[in-house]
């Protein structure tokens, strides 16, 4: 059942706040267990609703969209390029302050496989080199690089990617058990003793309603979830801290002295329903030796020598988002740059290109920083509640870690008899060129206790018996991959846990 702004109070077993990847996966998995739920969604069926806004006082994200408030959340924007986090991402790393999850990769692996089915990943085993078929393995080993330092990281993209707007619509449309309440904003969780008794919501006309439930799950994203908890007076000093993203951009360019094809390094359309590609990252022992986070880079074919950073930002914006928010200036920049057009076409259609040049496109892991945060602004929404104040920061140590990569790339990681770089050691400019990947995480992190986290290993908020969080905010560290598969895996795990309590 769909309800546009409820005129009366509602009672249910489970209240899910948000209909994106976390909320959408929960809806699917709870419905499979025949458990009643209500989804509260601030947005509508199309467009970006003004019901949720934030004030940015930190770094410029460098992209035109960082969230979208509509049914399906940011799954309306993404291309669904997926991979699990690495084993090392979950571990306590002495050289990465505030690292170490309360669970391990082994704990989550069965749910990664379950989430892969939700996200229509064709071959879960292809996330590991050992699972690849012979041809793809051969492609993986066709490129020469320093394998003492680097290892492959495999990614898959389902075609078409899953949009949770459709998932939620199909579940709720003709059901009396599963309700989608949209155009309705979660404002405050009402707590009595150690339990949430009801959720106060705001309707589009400025009126209020309440949702009573046995369990509440916040899946509103790493910018909005801390705002809701702070406006609800949930007591935990970690709420809103450790805002992270994946600073990304083209670090440098590699020239192939003998041009050749490397399909799995550019993008291989393995079947009509799947694309696969590989990135490169440091081996675990090298990360420890060099004291750096877990960065990853892709080789993106280029057809001209050198990188135009202004064109790059336009290209990244066009490739990263599907919201149609393209300006005339963007269109003109593309039309006057044949290289950008060819790169976009090669990416979109997995064209069989020959590498003469490759832009090394980095997706980097931030060091968790408590001073990068989401707090409450003095500005208020139309219901009188404070909006989020977003203060994204990147540490000097983050920049330095990329510089270590840059220097090793130019000197040690690719054999000089096969390659040369179009950059010199004096050309390092990461601080000027990186943008957000709109992978906001970390602001309600998982921990072993309230002293170092907001939620426990079961995603339950410390000190509240029936409140859970299931979105990117629970990440303790960010790794170097899109958050979607991990969020969906945690949602599968949480749905099973809640099912066992019924």
């Amino acid at each position: 059942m769909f309800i546009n702004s409820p005129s009366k109070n509602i009672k249910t077993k489970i209240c899910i706040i948000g209909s994106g990847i976390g909320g959408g996966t929960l809806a699917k998995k709870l419905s499979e267990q025949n458990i009643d739920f209500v989804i509260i969604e601030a947005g509508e069926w199309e467009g970006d609703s003004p019901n949720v806004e934030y004030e940015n006082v930190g770094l410029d994200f460098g992209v035109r969209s960082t969230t979208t408030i509509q049914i399906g959340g940011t799954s309306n924007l993404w291309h669904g390029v997926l991979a699990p986090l690495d084993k090392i991402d979950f571990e306590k790393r002495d050289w990465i302050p505030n690292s170490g999850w309360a669970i391990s990769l082994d704990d989550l692996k069965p749910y990664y496989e379950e989430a892969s089915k939700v996200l229509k990943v064709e071959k879960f085993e292809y996330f590991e080199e050992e699972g690849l078929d012979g041809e793809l393995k051969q492609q993986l080993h066709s490129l020469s690089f320093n394998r003492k330092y680097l290892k492959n990281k495999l990614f898959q993209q389902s075609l078409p990617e899953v949009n949770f707007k459709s998932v939620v619509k199909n579940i709720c449309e003709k059901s009396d058990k599963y309700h989608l309440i949209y155009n309705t904003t979660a404002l405050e969780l009402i707590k009595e003793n150690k339990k949430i008794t009801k959720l106060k919501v705001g309707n589009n006309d400025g009126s209020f309603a309440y949702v009573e439930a046995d369990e509440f799950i916040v899946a509103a994203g790493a910018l909005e979830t801390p705002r809701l908890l702070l406006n609800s007076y949930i007591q935990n000093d970690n709420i809103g801290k450790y805002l992270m993203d994946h600073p990304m951009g083209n670090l440098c360019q590699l020239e192939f002295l003998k041009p050749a094809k490397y399909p799995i390094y550019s993008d291989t359309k393995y079947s009509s329903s799947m694309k696969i590609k590989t990135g490169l990252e440091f081996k675990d022992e090298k990360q420890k030796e060099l004291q750096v986070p877990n960065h990853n880079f892709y080789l993106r074919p280029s057809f001209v020598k050198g990188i135009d950073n202004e064109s790059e930002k336009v290209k990244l914006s066009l490739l990263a988002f599907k919201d149609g928010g393209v300006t005339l200036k963007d269109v003109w920049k593309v039309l006057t740059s044949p290289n950008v057009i060819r790169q976009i076409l090669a990416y979109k259609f997995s064209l069989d290109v020959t590498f003469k040049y490759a832009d090394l496109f980095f997706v980097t892991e931030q060091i968790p920083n408590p001073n990068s945060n989401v707090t409450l602004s003095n500005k208020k929404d139309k219901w009188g509640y404070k909006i989020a104040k977003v203060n994204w920061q990147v540490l000097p140590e983050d920049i330095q870690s990329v510089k270590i990569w840059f220097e090793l790339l130019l000197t040690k990681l690719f054999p000089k008899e096969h390659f040369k770089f179009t950059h010199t050691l004096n050309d390092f400019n990461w601080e000027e060129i990186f943008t957000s990947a709109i992978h906001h995480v970390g602001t309600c992190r998982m921990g072993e206790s309230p002293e170092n986290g907001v939620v426990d290993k079961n995603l339950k908020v410390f000190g509240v018996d029936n409140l859970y969080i299931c979105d990117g905010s629970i990440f303790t560290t960010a790794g170097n991959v899109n958050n979607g598969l991990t969020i969906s895996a945690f949602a599968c795990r949480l749905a099973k846990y809640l099912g066992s309590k019924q």
Side-chain angles (χ1 to χ4, degrees), residues 107-358:
D107 294 326
L108 200 58
K109 193 167 185 179
Y111 302 100
Y112 269 132
E113 188 164 6
E114 192 175 339
S116 292
K117 294 173 184 174
V118 174
L119 297 170
K120 301 193 182 304
V121 172
E122 187 173 322
K123 290 184 178 289
F124 179 73
E125 65 271 21
Y126 277 18
F127 286 125
E128 301 289 341
E129 181 178 345
E130 296 75 21
L132 295 176
D133 64 29
E135 181 185 349
L136 290 176
K137 276 186 182 176
Q138 189 174 2
Q139 288 185 29
L140 212 60
H141 290 273
S142 63
L143 183 70
S144 296
F145 57 82
N146 190 335
R147 294 179 187 273
K148 292 181 179 178
Y149 278 79
L150 300 176
K151 63 178 179 178
N152 292 95
K153 172 75 177 178
L154 290 158
F155 296 78
Q156 296 183 59
Q157 180 181 4
S158 57
L159 301 171
E161 66 285 338
V162 172
N163 186 321
F164 281 93
K165 180 184 292 180
S166 300
V167 173
V168 169
K169 182 176 185 289
N170 292 337
I171 292 168
C172 298
E173 191 167 24
K174 296 178 181 179
S175 173
D176 291 327
K177 292 175 66 67
Y178 318 126
H179 297 169
L180 170 64
I181 300 176
Y182 65 97
N183 209 9
T184 302
T185 304
L187 299 174
E188 184 181 355
L189 294 154
I190 310 299
K191 182 168 166 278
E192 292 181 14
N193 298 319
K194 289 189 173 184
K195 294 191 76 172
I196 303 300
T197 57
K198 54 191 173 183
L199 170 70
K200 184 179 180 181
V201 299
N203 294 322
N204 205 38
D205 62 3
S207 65
F208 301 101
Y210 292 89
V211 180
E212 295 182 32
D214 297 331
E215 315 279 356
F216 293 83
I217 308 167
V218 186
L223 303 187
E224 184 62 11
T225 290
R227 178 235 183 175
L228 176 60
L229 267 63
L230 291 168
N231 273 328
S232 304
Y233 307 101
I234 304 297
Q235 299 300 311
N236 186 301
D237 290 342
N238 293 297
I239 294 172
K241 293 181 179 177
Y242 303 101
L243 173 63
M244 295 172 285
D245 204 310
H246 290 132
M248 67 178 187
N250 284 321
L251 182 61
C252 53
Q253 188 183 67
L254 189 66
E255 181 177 352
F256 292 70
L257 299 182
K258 186 179 179 181
K261 294 180 178 181
Y262 301 95
I264 199 169
Y265 285 87
S266 55
D267 233 1
T268 294
K269 191 169 184 181
Y270 180 80
S271 71
S272 60
S273 59
M274 185 184 86
K275 290 164 71 171
I276 186 168
K277 65 179 176 181
T278 184
L280 291 168
E281 59 187 14
F282 276 143
K283 290 184 171 181
D284 294 0
E285 60 269 24
K286 287 298 178 183
Q287 291 183 43
K288 183 174 183 178
E289 176 187 325
L290 297 165
Q291 305 277 286
V292 293
N294 190 14
H295 304 331
N296 172 70
F297 73 90
Y298 307 103
L299 280 75
R300 288 194 165 172
S302 184
F303 305 95
V304 297
K305 185 175 182 178
I307 297 173
D308 177 351
N309 289 322
E310 187 178 344
S311 295
E312 280 307 306
K313 289 195 175 182
V314 173
K315 181 183 74 179
L316 290 177
S317 190
L318 291 171
L319 289 176
F321 312 115
K322 300 175 69 179
D323 60 355
V326 182
T327 66
L328 289 175
K329 184 179 178 182
D330 290 340
V331 173
W332 177 251
K333 192 67 183 177
V334 170
L335 292 175
T336 55
S337 177
N339 185 51
V340 170
I341 294 173
R342 291 177 73 183
Q343 286 183 308
I344 290 174
L345 291 174
Y347 176 82
K348 290 284 190 183
F349 299 105
S350 300
L351 300 181
D352 188 18
V353 298
T354 298
F355 279 94
K356 168 62 176 172
Y357 300 100

